[in-house]
Structures are given as structure tokens and as C-alpha cells.
Amino acid sequence: MLSQNEIMQTIQMIDQQHLDVRTITMGISLLSCAHSDVKTACDKIYDKITRCAENLVPTGEAIAKEFGVPIVNKRISVTPIALVAAAAETEDYVPFARALDRAAKTCGVDFIGGFSALVQKGMTDADRRLIASIPQALAETDIVCSSVNVGSTKAGIDMDAVALMGRTIKELAERTADKGGFGCAKLVVFCNAVEDNPFMAGAFHGVGEPERVINVGVSGPGVVHYALRSVKGQSFDVVAETIKKTAFRITRVGQLVAQEASRRLDTPFGIVDLSLAPTPAVGDSVARILEEMGLEVCGTHGTTAALALLNDAVKKGGVMASSSVGGLSGAFIPVSEDEGMIAAAASGALTLDKLEAMTCVCSVGLDMIVVPGDTSAETISAIIADEAAIGMVNTKTTAVRLIPAPGKQVGDMVEFGGLLGSGPVQAVHPFSSRDFVARGGRIPAPMQSLKN
């Protein structure tokens, strides 16, 4: 039973500290939709999504109104389309993306994820077709998100796929040049991708998941920042304990919403993902949490250590609040989506190299980072390889969401709007990685993979 004090604290977190349920995401298996005829398969996909998720948005809105908890996004994730489309007799997978977009719009959701392929140990013909379709598919659709998993601790890194993704990102940026390369904001390249992630753009419904599932993502950077103000100057032991207690309260809100959504939608409850996912709004920033720990500006020396403490404390607090914590859970550092990160990057304190170091201890990786439009495909691939290596060796999820903004140079700002915010164009190294990327093959799995 919640005490009156706990209820009042939760109300304050919502009203004054930007606490929200960032997303209710329904995962839907599309394996039953596979068919040799493209049109038939796409019709089956549309019918199944609209049937399963027809009440997702009104249910989310009703829960938000009744409980007084903002639910920012309602989303859908589906089985990686490369698996579903493999049965179709076609070289072009763009129709599958159009079917996803049409179904998602019919349901009224904000995004749909799963135009995806899992290629950590090699590519099937279907995987190659899907990756080849990504630039056109994401340029032609509005709310379809795509992801490709190029590595894992168990399999190593597929460098042929890494090279291909560098070229794919470049082509997608050019196809959406009129929007600052916006299409790339809907594409994530993973190492160790998880099957129950409710956050976009990397969400997909894993093959080990049930027919349908409800996953909820909760976010509260502003709540953590506010809590740390009360322990200014105190030891890191106190800081960690304060974050843990705060994360516990945040996760309980997500658990309540997830269970209620599961009941009303007659869909199994999967996980609560407690990820401190920032927004461009002032007071909703992960960077400002790190600065509250004593850093003059995010990106200076000590930033990685501060982020490591934050990420660990968030996970510990969340696990105590729910037996179903999953997804990514921790702290995100998407540059363009975080007011403090934007300021730090614009001032020069937060560089691409420092961000890479921070990804060793955060939830995901190099996220929503704008680079010059003339950045080569090989350089993008090399950045992906570096990030995948961090994930592979450390047995953690890492990801890259880079946006080479056409016509933009270091120091320019690119506006995306909404939760995607705006990003300063950041410098990449001028030296070539062409010969490195051209080698191809596979970087073998590390010793950490031999756990059996």
C-alpha cells in the first residue's frame, strides 16, 4: 500500500520534475505472416498489426487520464522483417515498410520498429535485400524505424555488414537531404541488440518473445537531477543511494502502468525499461545530472566515472522495484535529444571521442550524433566498428545512430524537431579508415564468449 507521502512525491515528480512514461510499446510477432506472394504477405502484416494494436492508443490515453501519468508515446515493434520477408519471391522489401507504415498510422501510434535484420554472424539473402531497401524504405515512410545488429559477444563482428551499413547510412542521408538527413534518425546499428527494447529507433520483437507483449519505457532525468540537489557536496556513496531510491520510485510508476495496460489489452506484460531518456526540454537532461555531481560541464574529465555511477545506480534501484526490469535500462546519452548534451557539444567540451568513452558505461552508445555531410562511408563504418567492439568485449548493448547531415559542416546546427531536438555538427577524425574497412570478414568473438 502506498503511503500518502509516497503519493505526494509521485505527484510532484510528474508535475514539476518531468517524470513520464516515455512509451507503451506493443510487440507483435509477424512470423505467421510469411508468404511467397509479396502482396499477400503485406496484407497479412497490415491485418495482424491493426487487429492486435487497434486499442493500444485509446488504452494508453485512458490510463494516462485516469492515473494522471503522462504517456508520451504509443509504439509498436514487430518481428525483424528480414525473417518475415525471406519467404517472399521478391528482391525489393520496400513494400513491407509501406505496409508497416500504413498499419501504424491506422493504429495511431507514434512509431513502429522492426524493419530490421540480425547479421552478427553473416548475412542471408533476405538480410541483404532488407539492408539494400533501407534507404528508400525510410525515405518514403514517416514512422517506420529500422535496425541492424552487426555484432555480438557470442558471434564477433560481421565487418562485411559494418561496411555495408556505412554506405547505407550515407545513401539514406542523401535521400533525406531536404530534412537534414532525418532518415538516419530512424536507423540504428547495434551490437548485442536486445529482443525486448521498447525504445525507438531500435525496437524489434525478438523471436524468443510471445505472440504479443506489452513493454513499457519509463524516463525521469529531471526527477534524478532534482533529488541530487538535496545531497550537494556529499559523498558518492550518498549520491548512489539517492539515485537508487529515486529510480525505485520511478520504476514503480512504470510497473503500475504496464500491468494496467497488459490487463486492459489482454496482452502479456513483458518488461519495464527504466532508461533515463532525456528530451530537449530544460530540466529533463542526463548531462545536467552529471554536472550536478560536480562537473563544470558534461564532457570534462570525470564525466565517464559520473555516468558509470548513474547507470549502475539506476539499474539497482529499478531491479528492486520490479521483477520484470529489462530492455536497456540505465542512462541514454543522445546528443540532439538532451538539452545539456547539446550545450556541451556546442561549447566543444563534449567530443565524439569523449562520447565513445562514455558509451562504455551507458545504456546504449553513440546516439543521435550529427557529423559533417561529407563524412565518408568508410569513416562511418569505422565508427560503427569501434562501438561494436566496445559492446562485444564488455558484453553489453552498444549502438550507433549517426546522421551525416548533407551540406553541413562542423559547428552548424541541424534541427529535427520534437523529441529528436537539434544537434550541433561534430568533428570526425580526418584520417582515412578505408583500408581497414575494406578487409571485410569477421572480427572473432572474444574470450568472454566461451562461458559454457
Side-chain angles (χ1 to χ4, degrees):
M1 179 70 72
L2 292 174
S3 68
Q4 183 176 0
N5 183 53
E6 288 174 317
I7 294 171
M8 293 306 297
Q9 284 181 333
T10 302
I11 293 172
Q12 184 180 36
M13 285 157 54
I14 294 169
D15 286 347
Q16 301 174 25
Q17 301 161 27
H18 297 278
L19 173 64
D20 60 55
V21 171
R22 187 56 50 85
T23 178
I24 295 178
T25 301
M26 177 179 283
I28 303 172
S29 173
L30 298 184
L31 292 175
S32 61
C33 300
H35 197 278
S36 59
D37 179 70
V38 176
K39 185 179 184 306
T40 300
C42 289
D43 288 344
K44 292 176 72 175
I45 287 170
Y46 176 85
D47 291 343
K48 185 165 187 179
I49 291 172
T50 53
R51 182 177 69 254
C52 291
E54 64 177 338
N55 295 318
L56 177 61
V57 171
T59 298
E61 292 174 348
I63 292 173
K65 184 177 180 180
E66 291 173 31
F67 287 28
V69 177
I71 299 176
V72 180
N73 287 292
K74 277 70 69 177
R75 298 165 173 169
I76 296 169
S77 63
V78 299
T79 308
I81 289 298
L83 301 177
V84 181
E89 297 174 353
T90 180
E91 296 291 320
D92 180 13
Y93 286 1
V94 174
F96 291 94
R98 295 191 190 114
L100 294 178
D101 198 55
R102 188 163 58 94
K105 287 176 178 175
T106 298
C107 294
V109 298
D110 301 280
F111 287 106
I112 184 167
F115 195 74
S116 306
L118 310 177
V119 299
Q120 57 267 24
K121 207 170 182 179
M123 290 180 278
T124 65
D125 291 340
D127 293 327
R128 292 183 185 277
R129 292 177 192 131
L130 183 128
I131 293 172
S133 299
I134 287 174
Q136 183 181 350
L138 297 193
E140 287 189 10
T141 58
D142 297 315
I143 55 178
V144 173
C145 292
S146 178
S147 59
V148 177
N149 191 69
V150 298
S152 73
T153 301
K154 284 289 187 182
I157 303 171
D158 182 350
M159 288 301 293
D160 292 321
V162 168
L164 185 55
M165 289 313 299
R167 298 192 294 271
T168 300
I169 290 169
K170 282 287 288 184
E171 183 181 346
L172 177 55
E174 292 299 331
R175 282 180 177 263
T176 55
D178 59 328
K179 300 178 182 177
F182 172 76
C184 297
K186 301 187 292 176
L187 173 61
V188 183
V189 184
F190 275 117
C191 177
N192 287 323
V194 298
E195 297 190 341
D196 56 2
N197 167 26
F199 285 100
M200 298 297 171
F204 63 86
H205 187 70
V207 294
E209 295 287 302
E211 188 73 13
R212 290 192 300 167
V213 70
I214 288 292
N215 297 320
V216 167
V218 185
S219 183
V223 180
V224 176
H225 185 200
Y226 181 86
L228 289 185
R229 291 178 182 174
S230 65
V231 296
K232 189 178 292 290
Q234 298 190 45
S235 72
F236 283 115
D237 307 87
V238 176
V239 170
E241 194 64 25
T242 301
I243 295 171
K244 281 164 55 181
K245 290 177 179 177
T246 306
F248 177 90
R249 294 200 301 269
I250 294 170
T251 306
R252 294 298 288 176
V253 173
Q255 175 91 353
L256 177 65
V257 170
Q259 289 179 331
E260 186 64 17
S262 171
R263 183 186 67 80
R264 295 188 187 192
L265 292 167
D266 192 25
T267 300
F269 164 40
I271 57 95
V272 174
D273 185 323
L274 174 61
S275 290
L276 298 183
T279 71
V282 174
D284 202 26
S285 163
V286 169
R288 300 306 184 194
I289 296 173
L290 306 181
E291 291 169 357
E292 188 64 36
M293 292 187 200
L295 304 172
E296 181 179 0
V297 63
C298 179
T300 191
H301 304 297
T303 299
T304 305
L307 182 59
L309 183 154
L310 173 64
N311 208 54
D312 180 66
V314 165
K315 291 178 186 290
K316 287 175 178 174
V319 167
M320 289 298 292
S322 172
S323 60
S324 300
V325 171
L328 298 164
S329 289
F332 289 176
I333 52 171
V335 174
S336 81
E337 299 175 14
D338 185 307
E339 168 267 326
M341 295 283 179
I342 295 169
S347 72
L350 191 62
T351 64
L352 192 57
D353 286 342
K354 184 60 178 179
L355 282 161
E356 183 180 300
M358 292 165 68
T359 64
C360 297
V361 297
C362 78
S363 283
V364 190
L366 297 171
D367 196 16
M368 286 301 292
I369 296 173
V370 187
V371 296
D374 60 2
T375 303
S376 70
E378 291 81 11
T379 294
I380 294 171
S381 293
I383 292 171
I384 293 170
D386 282 342
E387 196 60 29
I390 290 172
M392 175 183 72
V393 172
N394 290 288
T395 320
K396 72 182 291 291
T397 302
T398 52
V400 172
R401 191 161 45 147
L402 282 185
I403 303 163
K408 300 295 184 180
Q409 298 298 323
V410 174
D412 293 341
M413 289 290 293
V414 180
E415 298 285 342
F416 299 114
L419 287 176
L420 297 177
S422 61
V425 179
Q426 296 187 246
V428 299
H429 287 293
F431 309 105
S432 175
S433 305
R434 183 184 302 273
D435 291 345
F436 171 78
V437 173
R439 286 180 177 271
R442 186 158 55 93
I443 293 178
M447 285 296 293
Q448 289 92 314
S449 67
L450 302 178
K451 290 187 176 180
N452 289 336

